[in-house]
Amino acid sequence: MPDLTGASALVKAAAQCGVEVCFCNPGTTEMHLVGALEECPIRALLCLHENVCTGAADGWSRIRPDSVPMTLLHLGPGLMNGLSNLHNAKRARSPVVNVVGDMSTFHRGADALLESDIESLARVVSAEYVHTSVVPNALPGDMVDAIAAAANNRGVATLVVPHDRSWETVECVAVEAATARARDIKSRTPTQPVNEAPIREFLAQLVARAHECAQGEFVFYIGGRACRADELRLVG
């Protein structure tokens, strides 16, 4: 395997993890990542506002429980524009991975117009994983870590990618190690069908108990995995 740019290595690792779609509202700091998306099977969808990106990612995650979606956002202000739907994703326990472009490392501290503390902003919605890639060879592994954190913790993970990391060279050894881990993550995705009988029995018991306790009509509040397509069919 030849050496790759950071952007290509990141996208390759994401595809190996089973990522199928990336909802994008990119800017200049994400152009190498946009180009890398052209080289892989991940479907890149341009959205005209960041909150559309994050809302679409939340929706995708709810109806496709075995596929973690990506967003591609531009700097701290782009992340801020998408926070409200990322809050919804957090509350629904929807696995989502944000890739947020940042200024090149040599521009930090120059007080550029869009410079901000991206990690602090991300922690509002990303409780388990917020990370900035600091060396090129770590980039594909960081992406695998972000996807694993989102999938395992059922939440929002955020990876910050400085612009210069995306064009620098990642050695083939680092790419191979990350893709091997990515394939392992993908192979552990559950594929067995759910046994519906005990679930329906449990729901029937809940309804019976509610009838006993309620004075009149009653309402069930459901959340998390119960809001996904297959589970909603069972509840309905």
Side-chain angles (χ1 to χ4, degrees):
M1 178 186 294
D3 294 346
L4 299 174
T5 64
S8 294
L10 180 151
V11 168
K12 182 179 180 65
Q16 291 290 340
C17 282
V19 173
E20 298 178 27
V21 66
C22 180
F23 300 98
C24 311
N25 189 285
T28 52
T29 53
E30 295 78 45
M31 285 298 100
H32 288 80
L33 291 164
V34 172
L37 285 167
E38 295 267 331
E39 306 166 0
C40 78
I42 296 175
R43 184 181 180 188
L45 297 174
L46 178 65
C47 303
L48 299 185
H49 192 278
E50 293 87 352
N51 223 25
V52 177
C53 292
T54 55
D58 179 24
W60 177 280
S61 185
R62 296 189 196 206
I63 64 174
R64 293 291 306 277
D66 297 330
S67 175
V68 178
M70 283 174 57
T71 72
L72 182 61
L73 305 173
H74 182 49
L75 299 167
L79 176 61
M80 281 189 283
N81 283 342
L83 280 181
S84 60
N85 274 326
L86 288 174
H87 173 83
N88 293 340
K90 175 185 176 181
R91 291 302 186 186
R93 301 192 67 199
S94 300
V96 173
V97 172
N98 302 310
V99 176
V100 184
D102 194 7
M103 300 287 181
S104 293
T105 54
F106 49 81
H107 282 159
R108 287 181 180 166
D111 196 26
L113 288 175
L114 297 181
E115 185 175 0
S116 60
D117 185 351
I118 299 175
E119 286 196 5
S120 293
L121 293 169
R123 287 193 179 93
V124 175
V125 292
S126 297
E128 301 295 335
Y129 187 90
V130 177
H131 182 68
T132 299
S133 290
V134 293
V135 293
N137 278 351
L139 195 54
D142 290 343
M143 189 63 195
V144 174
D145 290 341
I147 294 169
N152 294 337
N153 298 302
R154 305 208 59 78
V156 179
T158 301
L159 177 62
V160 183
V161 181
H163 194 190
D164 48 336
R165 294 292 91 93
S166 67
W167 73 63
E168 292 170 336
T169 299
V170 176
E171 297 173 353
C172 63
V173 174
V175 178
E176 290 170 353
T179 53
R181 288 177 51 217
R183 287 191 292 268
D184 180 58
I185 290 171
K186 187 177 180 181
S187 69
R188 285 188 269 116
T189 301
T191 57
Q192 294 182 348
V194 175
N195 185 355
E196 297 185 3
I199 299 174
R200 293 188 183 279
E201 181 180 353
F202 174 70
L203 290 172
Q205 292 173 1
L206 283 181
V207 172
R209 291 177 59 189
H211 276 302
E212 294 175 2
C213 299
Q215 297 293 325
E217 295 182 354
F218 57 88
V219 176
F220 281 119
Y221 287 95
I222 60 175
R225 290 187 65 88
C227 291
R228 298 178 182 276
D230 292 338
E231 287 79 358
L232 284 174
R233 292 190 191 99
L234 284 173
V235 173

